[in-house]
Amino acid sequence: MAAEASNKQITLKNYVTGFPKESDLEVKITTTRLKVPEATPNAILVKNLYLSCDPYMRNRMSKLEGSYIDSFIVGSPIIGLGVAKVIDSTNPEFKKDDLFWGFTGWEEYSLITDTQSLFKIQHTEVPLSYYTGILGMPGMTAYAGFYEICSPKKGEKVFISAAAGAVGQLVGQFAKLLGCYVVGSAGSREKVDLLKNKFGFDEAFNYKEEEEDLNAALKRYFPEGIDIYFENVGGKMLEAVLLNMRLHGRIAVCGMISEYNLEKPPGVQNLFNLISKRIRMEGFAVFDYYHLYTKFLEMILPHIKEGKVDYVEDIAEGLENGPAALVGLFSGRNVGKQLVVVAHE
């Protein structure tokens, strides 16, 4: 008989409307056998090490129809991106002690039967937690949205909303490496300081406490207009940006966190600017660009090792603190990439 272990899990109590609360999630304790069940081919049993808190997970807490992602299952562990170590395998592609990042359960141990979207970790000279962020989905999101969709050129004017988050902090640094003028918005003075003093943004502003008129703020920081906008929030910020875009500007729509908790998001004004200024505005899903992951690593790893790109993580210790960390995203509580440590190797 295989050994058994206690398995702490974070499950969804009920589907959520409005802002999520910690009480929408529940900590459960079960047991699991530390072996892939017999007659389960191509599966792996893993020990989860790090879990990623990401804004898109809010949508999965609702009952979805016709979405590009599935709802979480009430009563079952929620699912997200994470870093894990293989304990047992019936899959010839994975062996014991292999490390990977990809979708796994919010629990201490997970049985994964669909391994096609998992990325083996080959570079362990950097922190493993980076594979929830700069070397994982957020890093690929920044890379694909900025380079593939925005087609940036040296000297262009770049604006990033939610700029201190997991994706925004990287987009700004990529733009600076290319020789662009970069401004970011964030929700606290601490985050503004981070953007200017750690990530090298040319300017940054606090949209919550210091800038009541977003249109006026953007006109001040971009007197000649914006060439590239990396969209993370939607709502009033997008309306103000549309007024301040330059001819043939590009907008990469990565997320709209200001609208995720609204049952009926209001319509966006100023859309005629898309026509009059010939703006290209394109939404994207990062998994459409995962074929570029090797190319991305070849670009980003030297920058990390040479200290040309910084990355800030907001780390919650312990799976039981996962609900607070995840829910905190939607009030801007996190500073940098929010992740949960389940186990140190």
Side-chain angles (χ1 to χ4, degrees), residues 30-50:
T30 64
T31 58
T32 188
R33 290 182 65 203
L34 298 182
K35 192 169 182 63
V36 175
E38 291 183 17
T40 309
N42 299 315
I44 55 176
L45 182 75
V46 307
K47 179 180 182 179
N48 293 311
L49 305 176
Y50 301 95

Side-chain angles (χ1 to χ4, degrees), residues 106-158:
W106 271 48
E107 54 189 345
E108 292 177 283
Y109 299 95
S110 294
L111 178 68
I112 300 175
T113 55
D114 181 4
T115 61
Q116 292 187 357
S117 61
L118 304 181
F119 293 84
K120 278 193 184 179
I121 293 175
Q122 309 290 354
H123 302 275
T124 56
E125 68 277 18
V126 293
L128 279 179
S129 60
Y130 274 19
Y131 289 92
T132 67
I134 187 172
L135 296 177
M137 182 274 286
M140 268 304 302
T141 301
Y143 178 81
F146 185 61
Y147 292 108
E148 296 294 316
I149 292 176
C150 293
S151 304
K153 304 179 192 67
K154 181 179 179 179
E156 288 194 309
K157 310 293 191 293
V158 178

Side-chain angles (χ1 to χ4, degrees), residues 43-70:
I44 55 176
L45 182 75
V46 307
K47 179 180 182 179
N48 293 311
L49 305 176
Y50 301 95
L51 296 173
S52 177
C53 298
D54 296 299
Y56 79 88
M57 296 173 73
R58 167 61 188 87
N59 293 332
R60 302 190 72 179
M61 295 170 78
S62 298
K63 185 66 174 173
L64 299 173
E65 292 181 8
S67 176
Y68 71 103
I69 50 176
D70 296 326

Side-chain angles (χ1 to χ4, degrees), residues 235-236 238-243 266-274:
K236 297 296 182 185
L238 176 58
E239 292 181 351
V241 166
L242 287 168
L243 294 173
V268 176
Q269 299 186 54
N270 305 328
L271 286 175
F272 188 77
N273 286 276
L274 294 172

Side-chain angles (χ1 to χ4, degrees), residues 265-323:
V268 176
Q269 299 186 54
N270 305 328
L271 286 175
F272 188 77
N273 286 276
L274 294 172
I275 300 169
S276 61
K277 298 178 180 179
R278 281 80 91 194
I279 298 165
R280 180 163 58 85
M281 182 173 172
E282 182 176 344
F284 71 103
V286 65
F287 46 75
D288 290 335
Y289 295 88
Y290 276 164
H291 63 284
L292 300 175
Y293 185 61
T294 300
K295 181 181 175 184
F296 165 65
L297 287 182
E298 290 172 355
M299 181 276 280
I300 194 68
L301 282 168
H303 287 327
I304 294 172
K305 293 171 185 174
E306 294 165 16
K308 292 182 178 178
V309 172
D310 279 313
Y311 200 64
V312 169
E313 297 175 316
D314 193 329
I315 298 173
E317 286 279 350
L319 187 58
E320 65 278 4
N321 292 312

